[in-house]
Amino acid sequence: MTETEALIMPDARGTRRRHRRYLYRDGKIAYWLLLPAVVLLGIFVIWPALYAAYLSFHDWSFYKSPEFVGWRNYTNVLTDPLFWAAIGRGFVFVAMTVPPMLLLAFGFSSLVVAVSRRFASTLKVSIYLPTIISTVITSIIFVVIYDYSGGLLNAFLGLFGIDPVAWLGDPKWALLAIAIPAIWLGMGLTSLIMVAAMIDIPTEYYEAAAMEGANWWQKTFFITIPQMKNIILYLLVTGFVAAIQQLDLPLVMTQGGPLDSTTLPNLFIFNHFTNDVNVGYSIAAALLLFVVLGTVSALIFRFVNSERLVD
């Protein structure tokens, strides 16, 4: 070993020790910063979920101690045709709300990106306003719009000689009548997320396509949509979860009627929770709904692959 190497090696060992010490210190700080979030997650999410799973195997109510019944609650839910009808109705509601909302939000976002910056700001504020309105207030507004005798919608249709329609009183129309305010409420945030995604697409792609003579449709289908694949996947999953779990709109506007035509899964569980003595049934139904949501979300991620297209 040369004299130079003998002088360098102790210094290198000291540098490595200092590096490991800094890494340990940084990791320790990170753990302390994460601790409050982990504690809150454990208290308000993990422990309630575990205790709910425990109670789902018991005949339990607010008036007596839990009595273990095994899988009886799950068997009762799985053999209840009303539960499966609510699940199916939830999927129909998803089909009524999520695709139209994504299409409308995409069209609106394309308009925002195309206009001037000042006008774009006005459009973004106007589309986001419904998001900050309470769902209960929105329900009341649309109940007034749908009113059979004095509602604005029937008054408008009357101008064209169309007879009034019982939008909330006819099972044929009630679910669609609830889907419209759901789309209106979800449009704001969905549109802003899409606007942010469109702005992030490199303009060089569009300039190159324009030089090749591509029109707006070709740019949209071969550049915009592929580059927004991850965002569309995210909005598809979150929109599905939010739509199938909708509670406020059917609860306020129709109370699940007429003839259970608007009883979505969460309202079905809520009604059982408030009316049944045995709360274990409601907890088992909620956990089974969680399994359905997780399964469908996993299938969406499985068949709609996500990948990073732009570094």
Side-chain angles (χ1 to χ4, degrees):
M1 180 183 298
T2 65
E3 182 178 353
T4 303
E5 291 174 342
L7 292 174
I8 292 175
M9 287 184 63
D11 185 63
R13 287 195 295 267
T15 301
R16 286 195 295 269
R17 283 197 298 269
R18 286 195 298 272
H19 181 67
R20 287 195 296 268
R21 185 168 65 249
Y22 290 145
L23 285 177
Y24 174 75
R25 186 180 66 182
D26 292 343
K28 190 175 181 180
I29 294 174
Y31 288 133
W32 278 108
L33 292 175
L34 288 173
L35 183 61
V38 172
V39 171
L40 292 175
L41 185 69
I43 295 174
F44 295 104
V45 177
I46 298 176
W47 168 246
L50 294 176
Y51 191 60
Y54 166 78
L55 291 178
S56 67
F57 292 99
H58 292 74
D59 183 2
W60 175 80
S61 71
F62 295 102
Y63 309 104
K64 64 178 183 179
S65 300
E67 177 186 350
F68 183 76
V69 294
W71 294 93
R72 191 178 71 185
N73 289 326
Y74 288 95
T75 303
N76 291 339
V77 175
L78 292 173
T79 56
D80 189 350
L82 297 179
F83 172 76
W84 292 111
I87 295 292
R89 202 175 295 116
F91 281 105
V92 173
F93 188 75
V94 169
M96 287 182 173
T97 55
V98 177
M101 183 175 65
L102 293 179
L103 290 174
L104 291 173
F106 185 86
F108 183 85
S109 303
S110 301
L111 176 63
V112 170
V113 173
V115 299
S116 64
R117 181 175 299 180
R118 179 176 298 180
F119 188 46
S121 299
T122 303
L123 289 177
K124 286 187 283 188
V125 171
S126 64
I127 195 62
Y128 189 73
L129 283 177
T131 306
I132 64 177
I133 300 176
S134 167
T135 311
V136 175
I137 295 176
T138 301
S139 302
I140 296 173
I141 292 173
F142 275 87
V143 166
V144 174
I145 293 174
Y146 291 141
D147 187 70
Y148 181 80
S149 56
L152 297 177
L153 182 56
N154 281 332
F156 175 76
L157 295 177
L159 298 176
F160 302 95
I162 302 175
D163 294 332
V165 178
W167 298 103
L168 299 177
D170 189 341
K172 183 174 62 175
W173 297 106
L175 194 61
L176 177 61
I178 291 177
I180 292 175
I183 295 172
W184 186 66
L185 286 170
M187 271 280 293
L189 187 58
T190 303
S191 298
L192 292 185
I193 292 175
M194 284 193 174
V195 168
M198 289 182 181
I199 293 175
D200 195 47
I201 299 175
T203 56
E204 291 83 0
Y205 292 178
Y206 296 104
E207 293 172 356
M211 294 177 61
E212 296 294 331
N215 55 32
W216 183 86
W217 291 103
Q218 291 171 324
K219 293 178 183 177
T220 299
F221 283 103
F222 293 104
I223 298 176
T224 306
I225 293 178
Q227 291 295 317
M228 292 179 61
K229 185 177 181 180
N230 293 342
I231 297 298
I232 294 173
L233 175 62
Y234 166 77
L235 293 174
L236 182 63
V237 173
T238 54
F240 162 77
V241 173
I244 203 171
Q245 293 189 101
Q246 180 60 248
L247 173 65
D248 296 343
L249 291 175
L251 177 63
V252 177
M253 295 178 69
T254 61
Q255 295 78 50
L259 302 177
D260 289 333
S261 59
T262 58
T263 302
L264 299 179
N266 268 0
L267 183 56
F268 173 84
I269 295 170
F270 175 79
N271 289 336
H272 273 276
F273 182 79
T274 55
N275 297 325
D276 291 356
V277 176
N278 177 22
V279 184
Y281 178 96
S282 304
I283 297 175
L287 293 176
L288 287 173
L289 176 61
F290 172 76
V291 172
V292 172
L293 293 177
T295 302
V296 175
S297 299
L299 289 175
I300 294 175
F301 279 113
R302 173 65 179 82
F303 291 106
V304 185
N305 293 323
S306 176
E307 57 186 6
R308 184 176 177 85
L309 297 177
V310 180
D311 292 328

